[in-house]
Amino acid sequence: MTQRVELATVMDRLAVDGLITDYAGAVDDGDWTAYRGLFAPGGRADYRSAGGIEGEAGSVAAWLAESMRLFSMCQHLIVNRRIAFGILDQDTGDTARVRADYVNPMRLAETAEGAPAGAPDFVCGGRYSFGLVRTADGWRLSEVVVAEKWRRMPG
């Protein structure tokens, strides 16, 4: 590998990592406009393993906006990111796959008695599978699949 190719690969890895971080931030902050902007045209998300829906990113963003109102706080910790670059139209590096584990503590908006909740009382974890494609606007998500592995509920 030449130094130029190695530098390009490092730059792509940083950009892909940044996109995954932006994804977590958009969900945690409830920024559904930013969430939609992370996806390539036709991009899809699948949250069925966590009790959600599967569909086009805009539809999923609308569902997330409604369902996340149950929580006053959430914080995605996306770790152990494994990035693999693929081939699109015979050009190496135009697609990528990322597998990453997550832990997601959340606080319900209020307790059963109507009082504000304290410490995170709902925690789940699992693995994300991200598909990415290089676009004219940079790396974008073509697919997000959540594989929830465990969940701890209040009580």
Side-chain angles (χ1 to χ4, degrees):
M1 223 185 257
T2 67
Q3 284 183 335
R4 183 173 296 190
V5 171
E6 289 173 354
L7 178 59
T9 300
V10 168
M11 297 301 290
D12 282 337
R13 288 184 72 82
L14 289 171
V16 166
D17 188 68
L19 183 66
I20 301 306
T21 299
D22 290 345
Y23 166 86
V27 173
D28 290 344
D29 295 343
D31 188 344
W32 308 117
T33 300
Y35 178 92
R36 287 179 187 93
L38 299 172
F39 285 83
R44 302 183 69 78
D46 183 349
Y47 292 85
R48 291 177 292 182
S49 77
I53 66 169
E54 185 276 335
E56 178 271 327
S59 298
V60 172
W63 171 79
L64 282 168
E66 184 63 31
S67 64
M68 294 304 284
R69 290 181 186 183
L70 295 172
F71 303 100
S72 63
M73 179 283 298
C74 70
Q75 182 181 32
H76 282 75
L77 306 171
I78 301 179
V79 299
N80 301 333
R81 300 174 194 203
R82 292 168 297 281
I83 302 171
F85 291 101
I87 299 173
L88 178 66
D89 297 331
Q90 305 304 314
D91 293 327
T92 59
D94 287 332
T95 63
R97 300 284 319 162
V98 177
R99 279 188 2 183
D101 298 324
Y102 71 89
V103 175
N104 184 13
M106 296 179 275
R107 180 179 304 129
L108 292 169
E110 58 184 39
T111 65
E113 296 79 31
D121 45 16
F122 180 98
V123 183
C124 61
R127 178 166 289 157
Y128 277 111
S129 177
F130 296 98
L132 297 92
V133 62
R134 186 193 313 269
T135 72
D137 296 320
W139 287 98
R140 294 293 182 265
L141 298 167
S142 58
E143 174 186 54
V144 174
V145 178
V146 174
E148 185 176 272
K149 294 182 177 184
W150 61 272
R151 173 183 293 196
R152 188 185 80 218
M153 303 289 286

